[in-house]
């Protein structure tokens, strides 16, 4: 079982790196439509309704994933199921493509196109951003989403198999849909936001640690990445985005954070790192670091999946 899980995770990761997200009929898009349909029934302006909504979306998906694993008894069936699920929930290659596209647009001075493109990655209003502002938004998203869309699902898949992959993606999608602060979701989305915080607690720190170790890939210093992480991460409003963004900032030798405009609501994010604000020249470096972290996390996840599990000792049959 552990070999089948490790092989499936590796194959699914390689599929994502080669193909990216499917252009049509993306499973995560289907998950979003399912969650939106459930929300029309469950939405109320209080936390209990949010807990019910979260359970109503995540519960059936995890139960279905458990059932699918039990049906697939042969190792090759487990490999195919795990690889398909891994490919479906990962978003690493598509994330890097977005960064590459934005870099190309800024290099040819097409700021309007870059502003439109960056909305695929961030929720802030890009209309007032200059080229450096778009670059900062893209670098911050590359850091945070490498953890959310690559490292976290791989680690959950290694630990719990297909239910871990599917369950994590459902939790993370719900956080993106209802876990933000707004009049509609302030209370209703509380449960989804808190569960996502817990689900990403370990993966975010694994991502930050990998960014520290891999800083030389972008001509950075691990000591600078470590310093930025330990010094600046706690000032970020997100307990999990902070470590990753700070480590990326230190590795790249730039300063991330600043004032972001979310539909007229200004939010002053913590400054992280030492150095100038990122510009278009830093985007290829950020995508290179994100790619290195993704590959390293795949190796860690395969090793974790292969690690022996300690269970309760079996009783010997009486003779």
């Amino acid at each position: 079982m552990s070999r089948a899980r490790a092989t499936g995770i590796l194959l699914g990761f390689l599929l994502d790196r080669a193909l990216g997200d499917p252009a049509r009929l993306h499973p995560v898009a289907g998950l979003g439509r399912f969650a939106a349909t459930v929300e029309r029934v469950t939405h109320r302006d209080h936390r209990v309704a949010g807990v019910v909504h979260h359970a109503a979306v995540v519960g059936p998906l995890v139960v279905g994933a458990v059932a699918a694993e039990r049906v697939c008894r042969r190792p090759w069936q487990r490999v195919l199921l795990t690889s398909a699920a891994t490919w479906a929930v990962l978003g690493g290659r598509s994330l890097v493509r977005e960064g590459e596209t934005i870099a190309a647009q800024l290099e040819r001075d097409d700021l309007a196109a870059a502003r439109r493109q960056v909305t695929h990655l961030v929720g802030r209003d890009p209309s007032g951003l200059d080229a450096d502002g778009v670059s900062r938004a893209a670098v911050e998203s590359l850091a945070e989403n490498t953890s959310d869309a690559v490292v976290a699902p791989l680690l959950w898949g290694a630990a719990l198999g297909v239910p871990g992959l599917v369950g994590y993606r459902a939790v993370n999608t719900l956080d993106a849909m209802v876990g933000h602060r707004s009049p509609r979701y302030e209370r209703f989305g509380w449960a989804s936001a808190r569960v996502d915080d817990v689900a990403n607690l370990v993966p975010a720190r694994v991502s930050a640690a990998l960014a520290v170790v891999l800083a030389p890939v972008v001509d950075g210093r691990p000591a600078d990445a470590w310093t930025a992480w330990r010094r600046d991460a706690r000032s970020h409003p997100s307990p999990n985005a902070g470590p990753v963004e700070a480590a990326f900032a230190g590795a790249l030798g730039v300063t991330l954070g600043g004032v972001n405009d979310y539909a007229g609501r200004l939010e002053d994010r913590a400054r992280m790192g030492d150095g100038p604000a990122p510009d278009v020249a830093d985007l290829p470096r950020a995508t290179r670091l994100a790619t290195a972290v993704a590959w390293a996390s795949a190796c860690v996840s395969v090793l974790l999946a292969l690690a022996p599990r300690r269970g309760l000792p079996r009783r010997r049959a009486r003779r």
Side-chain angles (χ1 to χ4, degrees):
M1 177 174 156
S2 60
R3 288 187 179 181
R5 181 180 295 179
T7 303
I9 287 172
L10 179 59
L11 288 177
F13 175 80
L14 293 176
L15 280 173
D16 176 68
R17 304 315 299 186
L19 304 176
D21 293 334
R24 300 175 62 187
L25 302 176
H26 196 298
V28 177
L31 167 59
R33 288 191 293 270
F34 169 60
T37 300
V38 174
E39 183 183 338
R40 286 196 287 271
V41 177
T42 57
H43 185 270
R44 303 289 187 278
D45 189 23
H46 51 76
R47 290 182 175 183
V48 174
V51 172
V52 171
H53 175 70
H54 191 88
V57 173
V58 177
L61 294 173
V62 172
V63 169
V66 170
E69 273 205 334
R70 289 184 176 179
V71 168
C72 296
R73 297 183 178 277
R74 296 181 181 277
W76 67 267
Q77 294 173 328
R78 287 281 180 97
V79 169
L80 290 179
L81 177 65
T82 305
S83 61
T86 302
W87 178 40
V89 304
L90 291 184
R93 180 57 187 144
S94 296
L95 175 65
V96 168
R97 283 175 181 166
E98 293 287 351
E100 292 169 345
T101 299
I102 293 168
Q105 291 165 338
L106 291 176
E107 285 171 355
R108 61 174 183 264
D109 295 324
D110 193 349
L111 180 58
R115 284 172 172 168
R116 289 192 298 270
Q117 195 75 30
V118 81
T119 60
H120 299 173
L121 298 178
V122 299
R124 71 194 69 170
D125 181 3
S127 60
L129 297 179
D130 58 10
D132 287 353
V134 171
S135 298
R136 175 171 73 84
V139 171
E140 290 171 355
S141 180
L142 282 165
E144 182 178 2
N145 285 313
T146 294
S147 179
D148 287 356
V150 183
V151 180
L154 286 174
L155 292 177
W156 278 104
L160 299 177
V162 175
L165 290 162
V166 173
Y168 172 77
R169 179 48 60 205
V171 165
N172 191 245
T173 300
L174 280 178
D175 177 60
M177 294 179 70
V178 305
H180 46 86
R181 294 179 179 177
S182 69
R184 178 177 175 84
Y185 296 125
E186 182 72 30
R187 284 177 285 274
F188 181 75
W190 175 85
S192 294
R194 297 292 79 76
V195 173
D196 184 74
D197 284 345
V198 173
N200 281 291
L201 196 65
V202 172
R205 283 142 187 86
V206 172
S207 302
L210 292 175
V212 169
V213 172
L214 295 168
V217 170
V218 290
D219 301 319
R221 297 176 65 245
D224 293 340
W226 171 255
T227 298
W229 174 11
R230 302 306 300 170
R231 183 192 64 203
D232 302 332
R234 70 190 68 181
S235 300
H236 196 286
S238 168
N240 296 320
V244 185
E245 290 185 22
F248 265 65
L252 294 168
V254 300
T255 296
L256 299 178
V259 178
N260 298 335
D261 183 350
Y262 296 97
R265 178 174 57 85
L266 298 182
E267 187 173 307
D268 192 358
R269 298 291 180 95
R271 269 65 172 180
M272 296 169 290
D274 298 297
D279 58 23
V280 62
D282 293 306
L283 275 176
R285 299 174 63 231
T287 58
R288 192 158 69 246
L289 182 58
T291 300
V293 169
W295 278 96
S297 68
C299 294
V300 170
S301 299
V302 167
L303 292 175
L304 178 61
L306 289 172
R309 264 86 173 158
R310 291 185 178 181
L312 294 174
R314 295 181 180 179
R315 292 182 179 180
R316 293 183 179 179
R318 292 182 179 179
R319 296 184 180 180

